[in-house]
Amino acid sequence: MKRTRNTSYKNKASSLIAWGFGLFLSFSVYAEKTSVEELLIEADAIKSSDFLQLEKFLIEIEAQEADLSSAQQEFYKYLQSYSLAYKGDYEQALRGFESLAKISDQVELSYRARISLANIYAITRDYSKGFKNLHELIANNHNISNDEIRQQGLIIASLIYNTYQKYDLSKEYAGKLLQESPTGRNLCFIKQLQLDSMFQLDELQSVEQELNEGVLLCEDAKENIAAALLKINIARHYLNNSDAMKALEYLEGHSSSIHDTNYPRVIAEYYILFARAKWQLGEQGDAINFASKVLDISDNDRFIKPRVMAYALLHEIKKANGDFKMALDYYEKYSEADKAQINEILAQQLAYNIVEQQTQEKVQEIKLLNKQNEVLTLQQNLAKKEAANDKLAIALLVSILGFIGFWTYRIKRNQIKLRKQAEVDQLTGVSTRHHFYESARALLQSCESSDQEVSFILFDMDSFKKINDHYGHLVGDYVLKEALSASMVCWRKNDLAGRLGGEEFAILLPACDLDKAAQIAEHCRRKISEVDTSESGHQFPISASFGVTSSKYSGYELKELIADSDRMMYVAKDEGRDRVKVINSGIY
């Protein structure tokens, strides 16, 4: 567990999948209705739609705790753990859910506790445990006879995959669930996840109509958070289509219902969309005010996406006003937050790949054990037969051993593939940040011991945020891939290149002086500016700003080389972008 939050649910409810704990319907397994049982059932039914009422119910149940049956005590513990998780006390919530999952004889209650465990591990960014629990839930889903609860396990799977931007998987599970004709709250949650995934994948045929239908469905089910998330997408759709006035009118019209959710993530996304709309309409003061509100209700490691957008907008506003000092300050904060966001996505992807690999290995291990058992059985049976059958036994044994060898090879190959994924950026083909840092430090140490001069180039794509905003992230990925492909021809075979995050890249050049490094950087700059973007479906210019230094000026410490080249790169951007700045030299 990385850390525990124990604060008011209004201010600290999770930004990841806050409404995920409210998916579970009433858990009624008792033969005789009692007053306290009715309280338990009603508390379960309203826990996601009226949390304050849930707290009141828990106080009433606590007063009668001595009279609870064993089954009722377990369910009361489940609701208490839910309340703790809702308020952000994940450490205590995990203890409660883990205890129920291990000791409860009630199969469905144990299953629901495991669903909550997967949910909390996702919230607390323990991605490996989150994906591991998710895989186990999906594998055991067929053992749950209650259709409602079984559906809820798959809803959580769709929700977590949606949160981790695996929209294809999220849409797949939501689509399967819709084929089972769910109703009520389950139907709301499933439809919200399907619509959000399709919106992110740009697969909705009639965006406004389909999202509005989802809003009405969730409002009828009294699931205001799910409805609010769909409303946020409607406003985002208007802004994406450059209709700031319509977005603003829509946001103002739904301000009350969105604020009534009391969820910081929803409210933060509402504020940043409101700020963007105000800025596009020329209302600068309101834009600054609402962008600042996003920063007020978030911190550095939660609500990262709206925080990144807030810094980017404030940078744009300050730059437009000529306040370049503040613009640079906001840009640095934007860059830091954006890098944190990218690193988190990479951590999620790596955890997912590792768990997938471990799951496949377990499957293969089971197959191997089964085959080995078959071999032992065959050996025992064949030992009793005539010598003529011994040849058949040998042939079968060789086949089985060949099968084992084949799968051992497959497992090893998958491990190598996974290691490569951790070392190579899948989009651009250069080193990942972590692998680049490790390799660069080793190379710098070698060059220092042999007294070789080393140069360092840092470059950043210009106005990349605008490309993503105007043309979408797929076009942004295309630009990064083409820019790196164009510049690779400028590097030498022994140069080390890496992606430090987002649109920022670095090149370490051993046995290379500053003048040669400047020539290489200028060559790269020209190649990038010559990239034809028409294949992306849009025609627009691209460029990059470069900062260059060497060990002669910055020493052999990687952090100093990065700091000096980063400073030169920002000078290049301040002086108009699309240029190379060399330490103690000027524009190349």
Side-chain angles (χ1 to χ4, degrees), residues 111 138 141 150-158 173 177 180:
Y111 182 78
I138 294 172
N141 193 261
R150 181 182 55 77
Q151 287 175 5
Q152 291 149 17
L154 295 179
I155 291 172
I156 281 294
S158 178
Y173 279 104
L177 285 165
E180 300 184 17

Side-chain angles (χ1 to χ4, degrees), residues 37 79 90 105 119 181 208 250 264 275 292 295 300 333 431 470 489 507:
E37 180 186 341
L79 291 173
Y90 301 127
D105 293 330
N119 199 8
S181 301
E208 188 174 352
Y250 185 85
S292 299
L295 304 180
N300 289 331
K333 291 177 179 178
S431 294
H470 288 144
V489 300
I507 309 171

Side-chain angles (χ1 to χ4, degrees), residues 341-351 425 432-433 501:
Q341 179 177 231
I342 292 170
N343 288 338
E344 182 163 327
I345 293 172
L346 292 174
Q348 293 168 2
Q349 183 65 46
L350 182 59
D425 179 62
T432 61
R433 179 190 183 98

Side-chain angles (χ1 to χ4, degrees), residues 383 462 505:
D462 295 329
F505 300 88

Side-chain angles (χ1 to χ4, degrees), residues 220-398:
D220 286 344
K222 294 183 172 53
E223 290 301 332
N224 298 327
I225 296 174
L229 290 169
L230 291 171
K231 291 174 183 178
I232 292 295
N233 277 343
I234 292 173
R236 186 176 287 116
H237 168 67
Y238 293 146
L239 280 177
N240 289 345
N241 286 275
S242 302
D243 197 342
M245 180 58 71
K246 195 169 184 179
L248 188 61
E249 291 174 353
Y250 185 85
L251 290 168
E252 288 175 338
H254 293 276
S255 174
S256 178
S257 64
I258 290 175
H259 282 85
D260 285 347
T261 64
N262 292 315
Y263 278 98
R265 173 207 165 176
V266 172
I267 296 172
E269 293 199 15
Y270 170 84
Y271 283 155
I272 191 58
L273 292 177
F274 203 93
R276 286 177 57 195
K278 286 286 187 179
W279 172 238
Q280 290 182 24
L281 293 171
E283 300 179 32
Q284 182 181 119
D286 285 344
I288 294 174
N289 179 40
F290 279 92
S292 299
K293 285 185 177 183
V294 175
L295 304 180
D296 291 339
I297 64 174
S298 63
D299 57 33
N300 289 331
D301 62 350
R302 298 180 341 124
F303 317 121
I304 294 179
K305 185 175 181 179
R307 189 175 186 85
V308 169
M309 296 173 68
Y311 280 135
L313 181 59
L314 289 169
H315 161 73
E316 187 177 349
I317 293 172
K318 294 299 181 182
K319 181 180 176 182
N321 289 337
D323 188 350
F324 296 111
K325 184 177 182 301
M326 285 299 297
L328 180 59
D329 181 58
Y330 280 125
Y331 183 84
E332 290 174 347
K333 291 177 179 178
Y334 155 75
S335 180
E336 181 180 351
D338 189 47
K339 289 176 183 177
Q341 179 177 231
I342 292 170
N343 288 338
E344 182 163 327
I345 293 172
L346 292 174
Q348 293 168 2
Q349 183 65 46
L350 182 59
Y352 175 79
N353 290 339
I354 289 173
V355 171
E356 281 285 312
Q357 174 66 19
Q358 290 173 343
T359 301
Q360 290 299 317
E361 288 179 358
K362 286 183 179 178
V363 171
Q364 299 309 324
E365 286 172 2
I366 292 172
K367 289 183 178 180
L368 290 175
L369 288 174
N370 290 337
K371 289 296 181 181
Q372 289 171 344
N373 288 334
E374 291 177 15
V375 171
L376 291 175
T377 302
L378 286 172
Q379 287 175 332
Q380 292 171 357
N381 292 334
L382 291 172
K384 300 175 183 179
K385 294 183 178 182
E386 297 289 335
N389 291 332
D390 290 343
K391 294 180 180 181
L392 177 60
I394 294 172
L396 288 172
L397 181 59
V398 169

